[in-house]
Amino acid sequence: MFLEGSILADSFMLGLFLLVLASFVAGFIDSVAGGAGLVLVPSFILCGMPTQIALGQEKLVSTLGTFSAIFNFFKNKKIVWAFCVVGVPLALVGAWIGAKMILFLDEVLAGKIVAALMPLGLLFSFFPKKDAELETHVTPFKKLFVFPLLCLVIGFYDGFFGPGTGSLLILALHFVMNLNLVNASATSKIFNLASNAGAFVAFAVAGKMLFLVGLPMIFASILGNFVGSKIAIQKGSSFIRYLLFFVIFLLFVSLVYKYFLL
């Protein structure tokens, strides 16, 4: 009995260590290019968590971890608040609509459409872009119509499906509003925090979070976000571009697997 208990304890500690490591990696990636859920949710499910618990635990770990990335970007004045004021409310409305619509629309069809569009994102992420400190030559049409509409659509995607939302926001801020990738990554964190807040509360109220087990994962995510945002600020857009490519590719593979191969 003692030996059995020792083996179970060792197995639990190994699993916890791997999840803490995954939380650090997810926090690092998320702070730079978005996509924490692409790492955390499969990791939690593979370790035996039920799907709802895995989704709730991802919100617990990544939402709190985002604060350290926001602190770094805020301290270095990389967040463009004007876009947040316009975009965050529309992203929240879009997320609410998306969450409602998933009850009526075919999720498989939507997933296939998103997967089909992902190669465009991979291609766009390597287009050369002027590395301005802030937005330049943005037309009123883009500011008043295109960007708000994109925020609504990306918010809808977040509510309807979710994984990779941060990466899509970075692409929108970079290619539509002409932010360099550092400013785009920094600004997207405010969107991520806002869109995750509602889901965080919902999962917490439903009791779908493991707070005590999650504490070391939260600390690892905070550390990963802190280190990742520091490196992003130091290395600049080229570093973010390659990591963004990796995250979008990971999203593309996961969507193809889920909606075309299963």
Side-chain angles (χ1 to χ4, degrees), residues 227-249:
V227 173
S229 56
K230 278 280 190 183
I231 293 177
I233 292 167
Q234 292 170 0
K235 298 291 186 180
S237 293
S238 59
F239 171 71
I240 297 175
R241 181 173 290 110
Y242 284 100
L243 195 53
L244 183 62
F245 178 89
F246 169 74
V247 171
I248 296 173
F249 178 75

Side-chain angles (χ1 to χ4, degrees), residues 161-245:
F161 183 68
T165 299
S167 304
L168 297 177
L169 281 167
I170 292 171
L171 289 176
L173 288 163
H174 182 54
F175 288 105
V176 177
M177 304 311 290
N178 291 346
L179 293 186
N180 68 34
L181 284 172
V182 176
N183 290 119
S185 179
T187 306
S188 74
K189 299 299 167 287
I190 305 300
F191 286 81
N192 288 148
L193 186 63
S195 64
N196 282 340
F200 178 93
V201 172
F203 280 113
V205 170
K208 300 299 182 181
M209 293 178 178
L210 305 175
F211 285 95
L212 290 179
V213 177
L215 281 176
M217 302 175 207
I218 293 169
F219 289 127
S221 177
I222 289 172
L223 181 60
N225 271 278
F226 184 83
V227 173
S229 56
K230 278 280 190 183
I231 293 177
I233 292 167
Q234 292 170 0
K235 298 291 186 180
S237 293
S238 59
F239 171 71
I240 297 175
R241 181 173 290 110
Y242 284 100
L243 195 53
L244 183 62
F245 178 89

Side-chain angles (χ1 to χ4, degrees), residues 9-172:
D10 289 344
S11 177
F12 173 78
M13 291 306 296
L14 176 61
L16 183 60
F17 170 76
L18 292 175
L19 289 180
V20 168
L21 181 61
S23 298
F24 175 84
V25 172
F28 182 94
I29 292 174
D30 196 50
S31 69
V32 179
L38 297 174
V39 176
L40 288 177
V41 173
S43 299
F44 292 150
I45 291 175
L46 285 173
C47 281
M49 290 186 189
T51 302
Q52 288 187 338
I53 295 290
L55 291 170
Q57 199 72 358
E58 188 273 325
K59 294 303 178 188
L60 172 66
V61 173
S62 61
T63 301
L64 296 180
T66 300
F67 280 105
S68 61
I70 290 175
F71 172 76
N72 267 341
F73 286 128
F74 174 76
K75 185 175 66 174
N76 288 273
K77 299 179 180 179
K78 299 298 183 181
I79 299 173
V80 184
W81 292 103
F83 292 157
C84 299
V85 171
V86 174
V88 167
L90 286 169
L92 289 174
V93 171
W96 181 82
I97 295 173
K100 289 289 186 180
M101 289 296 288
I102 199 170
L103 299 174
F104 302 101
L105 297 182
D106 182 8
E107 181 192 357
V108 174
L109 176 60
K112 288 182 177 180
I113 291 171
V114 173
L117 294 175
M118 279 296 102
L120 294 177
L122 289 171
L123 182 64
F124 288 157
S125 66
F126 272 86
F127 280 178
K129 195 77 173 171
K130 185 177 179 181
D131 197 29
E133 277 301 310
L134 290 174
E135 70 277 12
T136 56
H137 309 299
V138 178
T139 64
F141 178 72
K142 283 186 176 181
K143 284 185 177 180
L144 300 176
F145 180 74
V146 178
F147 180 66
L149 180 61
L150 276 174
C151 290
L152 191 67
V153 171
I154 293 173
F156 176 88
Y157 169 80
D158 193 22
F160 191 86
F161 183 68
T165 299
S167 304
L168 297 177
L169 281 167
I170 292 171
L171 289 176

